[in-house]
Amino acid sequence: MRRAKASHVDPPISRLSKVLRLEESTGYQDSAVIGGLEGFIEKLSQELRAHPAQAALAEKLLRIVRGYAIQPREARREVVRALEDALRALEALTPNPSPVSESRERGAESDVKAPVRLAKGVGPEREKLLQRLGIETIEDLLMYFPRKIEDRSVKKKIAQLRHGDRVTVQGRVRAVDLIKPRKNLEIVKAAIQDNTGILYAVWFNQPWLKNQLVQGELISLYGTVESTHGQLQMNSPVWEPATKNFLTGRLVPVYPATEGLSPQMLSRLIRTNLSLYGPSLKELIPEEIRQRQQLLPRAQAFENLHFPKNLEEYQQAHRTLAFEELLIFQIGVARERAKTGARPGRCLTISDERLEEFFAVLPFKLTRAQQRAISEIRADLAAPHPMNRLLQGDVGSGKTVVATAAALIAMASGYQVALMAPTEILAQQHFLKIRELLARLSAPPRIALLIGSMAEREKVRVRRQIAHGDLEFIIGTHALIQEDVRFKNLGLAIIDEQHRFGVIQRAQLEQKNENLDILVMSATPIPRTITLTLYGQFEISLLDELPFEKAIQTYWVAEERRDQVYEFVVGELKQGAQAYIVFPLIEESEELDLKAATQAKEELESTFFKNFRVGLLHGRMSDAEKQRTMERLRARELDVLVSTTIIEVGIDIPNATVMVIEHADRFGLAQLHQLRGRIGRAGQKAYCFAIASPQSEEGRERLRVFQSTLDGFEIAEADLRIRGPGDLLGVAQHGLDSTFRVADLIADLDLMKAAREEAFRLIEQHPDHPLIAEFQRRFGGRFELARV
């Protein structure tokens, strides 16, 4: 074991610095110096006491290190960190800087892109912990922004405290006890007194605190007050010496932490390194934009976001750094849009007569929104650059017809079309529906289905026809992007259900031909902020009008009234309706999922649905079995379908008018809306029952919104508000839940719009602006994946 020899030549600051670094690097074994850390500091403090100005510091070091040898490793780590904090004060009082101090100071002059191990206060152990949080460089550390700011500025005297108060209290430690009521439980209880009364502070399984809390010392505590058995008490409060004013009595940043690295330690590390490296943080936003948007200088924004003096300072700093982040992201979006415009396209056109013939054979009249979307797509396809368009609409808004019109335009120009759906059921449904629409034309195009469950011989035949150009329109699943599928002349790719695809799959489809025209159909309305972020490089067609008014009545029903719901369903079935009974998917286990669905079917068949034909659809079934079940439902050979959530996407059974969603509080709001979209497809009266007794306020809020509106866009905005952006619409799949460190996709819509305008103007004026490099550094890899 390496040991540091305490040299009498080095000043105290140098020796303590070396020993602490060695103790950290050897895993807090108390082996860095002969005699142990506590013995070393006892000797060191004798030297310090020789200087009156350092006597108080000597006492502080002794107090911190007391009992070090008998403490567990986790506690030792905290002691070493507390000693490092004290060392900074020692450095300020010592004229000769330590080697550590010198190297840190040199580091301050260097680039903030340096590895985080060069940051002040970071040794090998701490470097590993920081890397676990994604902190690789000093700049990453400075950009590790607080999750929230906690207002700990409210101070009260002990006599003023009431149960439930979250406040800061100052008082002197009058007594400290270590209680061991049972095995594996140690309680430190301290009596804190001010001039108005006594408060008890309690900490669990932190026995080292008994040595750190010194009788007679004035300390500050922050926590929640409880009144139990006539005593005022705080459980596990944050505490510090009253003179520090670092963790109490002010606005305090709260950082996402990891085991072994507390929010307090992160805060200390950031404060220390921000004071060293803050001046070297370069301005990124052009000065004219900064002035126009009334933003703070960058270094000041960092300071105010981490350590605000008041809420106004924090909000201004948040706005500045969120704008910087959004501007840089939108630089990438603007550049992508410019690149798309610069790429050569195919100029796909169709005669008015051919398109009018298609409109004439449709068994319904197009809505104004559908007509507008088709016109936008037609103009895009005729342009000399590739189309990149998002077709967005609510359930039942008629996206399939619009996509079919787009396919007709491409085929009329001699190109093949591929439509890729996320499931075989949906692919087959598209195929049946589109084939029926196109069969009415005087010269129907050649159309085929390609899905994994088809017989191998059939798949070989279809692939050969695709390669030879004998097929014009191919509808399928991920089978379309496999290596052995070669298109002769692919011109248009239509991707249904954007968020259900892996990003790699979409990229593979694009690779089937260069500069493809892309049409993405999103079945779920997307909140505006998400659209501007994920789909910033897309033109958007909005189907904001339905072919007919929805007539679905939605009821949220408590679990104890379940029987009444099923009695109503029986009454509807007797009148010829068809019904879905939906159970949440048990994602942890397909076996459990199968068992739950099967038991539910058997129970319903033996009770309410004795006289009806009941089918079952679940995740363990093969694709062929699923298709057979859906065909039986479509042919009215089944009255009731018991299913897990696999029916949520695109299933179209016109006669289904009743849905019961069991355990509805386990579904997301957008998912509930998608499920409800499976009934009343022809505009007839329909009933949806959400059975649930949710325990959380969030669950209740979801069901209140679900019951109150049929508008998919309202649903999407509410879902974003309730759940946040992380797991909404597969955003997590794009990495956007973790892409933005400061910007809030819910709250910052106006900021997003302003950043977008500035970014597009900047790229138009300066196509090779230096901020492109910053975009690539921050977002490049994720953005490439988030692109279609």
Side-chain angles (χ1 to χ4, degrees), residues 51-328:
H51 304 278
Q54 296 179 350
L57 192 55
E59 296 305 318
K60 184 176 184 180
L61 292 174
L62 282 170
R63 193 166 62 241
I64 292 169
V65 80
R66 192 175 296 136
Y68 186 82
I70 61 170
Q71 292 181 18
R73 184 170 171 275
E74 289 298 315
R76 287 179 181 175
R77 178 193 283 138
E78 289 304 316
V79 170
V80 169
R81 290 173 186 176
L83 289 167
E84 286 176 337
D85 286 345
L87 181 60
R88 292 183 194 110
L90 181 57
E91 285 175 334
L93 293 167
T94 308
N96 300 320
S98 72
V100 175
S101 178
E102 285 178 345
S103 68
R104 303 299 187 196
E105 294 305 326
R106 282 197 300 272
E109 296 164 13
S110 66
D111 193 358
V112 289
K113 306 289 191 295
V116 74
R117 69 174 179 274
L118 298 178
K120 187 163 186 177
V122 177
E125 285 288 314
R126 199 168 285 170
E127 180 188 19
K128 288 176 194 165
L129 293 170
L130 289 168
Q131 286 171 338
R132 204 185 295 167
L133 293 171
I135 298 171
E136 299 285 346
T137 67
I138 293 168
E139 186 176 40
D140 288 339
L141 178 65
L142 302 186
M143 291 184 73
Y144 195 74
F145 296 118
R147 183 178 70 246
K148 63 178 181 178
I149 291 289
E150 195 164 66
D151 188 355
R152 300 180 185 174
S153 61
V154 178
K155 296 178 183 177
K156 283 190 178 181
K157 292 284 189 180
I158 290 173
Q160 297 172 315
L161 298 178
R162 297 291 177 267
H163 182 84
D165 282 352
R166 285 185 69 79
V167 291
T168 292
V169 175
Q170 275 195 0
R172 292 197 181 274
V173 179
R174 290 306 179 202
V176 187
D177 285 326
L178 178 60
I179 308 160
K180 300 181 180 179
R182 63 172 189 268
K183 192 179 177 184
N184 298 326
L185 178 61
E186 295 177 296
I187 299 172
V188 172
K189 187 170 185 179
I192 312 297
Q193 185 180 37
D194 68 4
N195 60 0
T196 69
I198 291 179
L199 168 75
Y200 292 93
V202 175
W203 292 269
F204 300 94
N205 290 328
Q206 298 176 61
W208 59 88
L209 290 178
K210 185 178 187 306
N211 296 319
Q212 291 184 6
L213 292 160
V214 178
Q215 198 165 336
E217 183 180 21
L218 185 66
I219 67 169
S220 292
L221 306 99
Y222 173 80
T224 302
V225 178
E226 293 180 11
S227 180
T228 52
H229 310 299
Q231 288 186 348
L232 291 172
Q233 183 171 303
M234 277 186 182
N235 286 334
S236 303
V238 175
W239 74 278
E240 64 185 351
T243 53
K244 271 200 168 182
N245 195 35
F246 183 69
L247 298 173
T248 61
R250 54 188 285 273
L251 295 179
V252 176
V254 179
Y255 297 90
T258 186
E259 191 178 346
L261 199 60
S262 67
Q264 293 96 305
M265 177 46 63
L266 277 165
S267 187
R268 285 194 195 100
L269 276 176
I270 290 165
R271 169 166 282 203
T272 302
N273 285 283
L274 191 57
S275 65
L276 285 173
Y277 294 93
S280 64
L281 286 167
K282 294 171 186 165
E283 288 293 344
L284 294 178
I285 299 175
E287 183 61 23
E288 61 185 71
I289 295 178
R290 196 170 72 76
Q291 294 291 345
R292 190 157 52 234
Q293 298 296 333
Q294 298 177 311
L295 306 174
L296 293 173
R298 191 163 189 247
Q300 187 185 339
F302 270 72
E303 178 71 31
N304 291 3
L305 193 66
H306 283 297
F307 306 107
K309 294 184 182 67
N310 52 56
L311 205 54
E312 188 183 350
E313 264 194 11
Y314 174 77
Q315 288 168 342
Q316 199 177 5
H318 179 278
R319 185 178 179 279
T320 295
L321 292 170
F323 184 89
E324 174 186 292
E325 200 167 39
L326 294 170
L327 177 77
I328 290 165

Side-chain angles (χ1 to χ4, degrees), residues 408-535:
L408 260 182
I409 297 168
M411 290 185 289
S413 295
Y415 287 92
Q416 289 172 302
V417 177
L419 189 158
M420 195 157 82
T423 66
E424 293 206 351
I425 290 179
L426 191 53
Q428 189 175 49
Q429 188 170 284
H430 274 317
F431 173 68
L432 295 173
K433 192 171 181 179
I434 291 170
R435 185 178 63 178
E436 183 189 343
L437 289 175
L438 294 177
R440 302 163 190 241
L441 294 171
S442 55
R446 300 179 300 280
I447 182 171
L449 180 69
L450 182 61
I451 53 178
S453 63
M454 285 165 52
E456 190 57 38
R457 184 186 303 169
E458 182 66 11
K459 284 192 281 191
V460 169
R461 186 183 64 79
V462 172
R463 286 196 292 261
R464 189 186 305 117
Q465 289 178 317
I466 292 171
H468 292 161
D470 298 334
L471 289 172
E472 297 168 89
F473 197 169
I474 305 92
I475 297 170
T477 54
H478 58 274
L480 282 181
I481 60 169
Q482 289 169 354
E483 285 183 18
D484 50 3
V485 178
R486 289 182 174 80
F487 290 85
K488 185 180 181 184
N489 197 15
L490 183 62
L492 171 64
I494 302 169
I495 300 170
D496 192 13
E497 293 292 339
Q498 160 88 351
H499 63 281
R500 296 292 289 266
F501 276 109
V503 289
I504 304 303
Q505 290 175 320
R506 294 197 295 276
Q508 284 173 315
L509 182 57
E510 267 197 298
Q511 287 164 14
K512 292 292 177 185
N513 208 342
E514 278 190 14
N515 298 337
L516 274 181
D517 288 295
I518 301 278
L519 178 65
V520 173
M521 294 196 288
S522 168
T524 308
I526 305 169
R528 185 83 197 284
T529 45
I530 303 289
T531 306
L532 284 172
T533 309
L534 282 185
Y535 303 94

Side-chain angles (χ1 to χ4, degrees), residues 330 390 392 524-536 540 542 712-714 716-718 720 728-729 745-746 748-750 752-754 756-757:
Q330 290 294 338
L390 173 69
Q392 203 188 344
T524 308
I526 305 169
R528 185 83 197 284
T529 45
I530 303 289
T531 306
L532 284 172
T533 309
L534 282 185
Y535 303 94
I540 296 170
L542 202 57
F713 288 93
E714 280 183 36
E717 294 292 348
L720 182 61
L728 183 66
L729 299 176
L745 290 183
I746 303 168
D748 292 331
L749 174 59
D750 289 340
M752 174 82 82
K753 288 177 186 171
R756 182 178 172 80
E757 284 173 19

Side-chain angles (χ1 to χ4, degrees), residues 534-580:
L534 282 185
Y535 303 94
Q537 69 272 42
F538 283 69
E539 301 293 343
I540 296 170
S541 289
L542 202 57
L543 296 182
D544 51 3
E545 182 183 0
L546 296 175
F548 41 77
E549 200 65 39
K550 287 181 188 172
I552 304 172
Q553 293 179 13
T554 304
Y555 302 93
W556 167 21
V557 182
E559 288 178 359
E560 57 267 25
R561 293 179 56 204
R562 176 180 279 110
D563 287 2
Q564 291 171 254
V565 170
Y566 281 109
E567 285 163 10
F568 178 86
V569 175
V570 168
E572 291 297 303
L573 293 175
K574 285 177 179 174
Q575 294 177 44
Q578 287 177 290
Y580 293 113

